[in-house]
């Protein structure tokens, strides 16, 4: 029988798999519309991951990991803002995708450390 902590681990692993899949699709697919959708999914996933750090910050005092998680979320926000400003400039969109992917991957690695 699964308890709630087991279900939480399963949901987190499914979230991590989905986030890494969108990150890979963001760089593999050549269609720019799909790339932008994957970019925004990555930004939203990094924001959701940063929100998940808040209870551990308030309760357990993992200050360094929470701070780095918030910084990774700010990287994702920067990628989203840069994607809005890019206006079909391929160089800026590439930098935005790299920022969003780095934010998401580093955030997931940081979450595994908690």
């Amino acid at each position: 029988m699964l308890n709630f902590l087991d279900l939480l681990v399963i949901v987190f692993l499914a979230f991590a798999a989905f986030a890494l899949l969108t990150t890979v699709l963001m760089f593999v697919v050549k269609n720019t519309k799909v790339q932008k959708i994957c970019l925004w999914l990555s930004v939203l996933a990094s924001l959701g991951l940063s929100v998940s750090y808040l209870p551990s910050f308030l309760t357990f005092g993992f200050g360094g990991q929470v701070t780095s998680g918030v910084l990774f979320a700010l990287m994702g926000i920067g990628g989203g803002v840069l994607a809005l400003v890019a206006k079909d400039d391929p160089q800026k969109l590439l930098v935005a995708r790299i920022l969003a992917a780095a934010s998401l991957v580093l955030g997931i690695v940081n979450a595994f450390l908690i």
Side-chain angles (χ1 to χ4, degrees):
M1 187 79 176
L2 295 174
N3 59 16
F4 287 114
L5 189 57
D6 295 334
L7 293 174
L8 184 63
V9 168
I10 291 170
V11 167
F12 178 73
L13 289 176
F15 172 78
F18 172 74
L20 292 176
L21 178 70
T22 58
T23 302
V24 169
L25 285 176
M26 186 169 42
F27 290 105
V28 173
V29 175
K30 299 294 182 194
N31 189 355
T32 57
K33 193 172 201 175
V34 174
Q35 285 178 351
K36 287 182 181 180
I37 289 170
C38 289
L39 171 70
W40 287 110
L41 286 175
S42 296
V43 169
L44 289 175
S46 67
L47 289 176
L49 194 59
S50 68
V51 168
S52 69
Y53 288 118
L54 294 179
S56 62
F57 176 68
L58 297 174
T59 313
F60 302 116
F62 293 111
Q65 288 179 329
V66 173
T67 304
S68 62
V70 170
L71 290 176
F72 296 149
L74 290 176
M75 277 177 47
I77 292 170
V81 168
L82 188 60
L84 284 176
V85 173
K87 302 276 189 199
D88 297 331
D89 184 16
Q91 297 288 349
K92 289 181 182 177
L93 283 175
L94 178 65
V95 172
R97 289 188 299 162
I98 290 172
L99 275 175
S103 166
L104 192 58
V105 170
L106 291 173
I108 288 174
V109 168
N110 192 20
F112 274 117
L113 293 178
I114 289 180

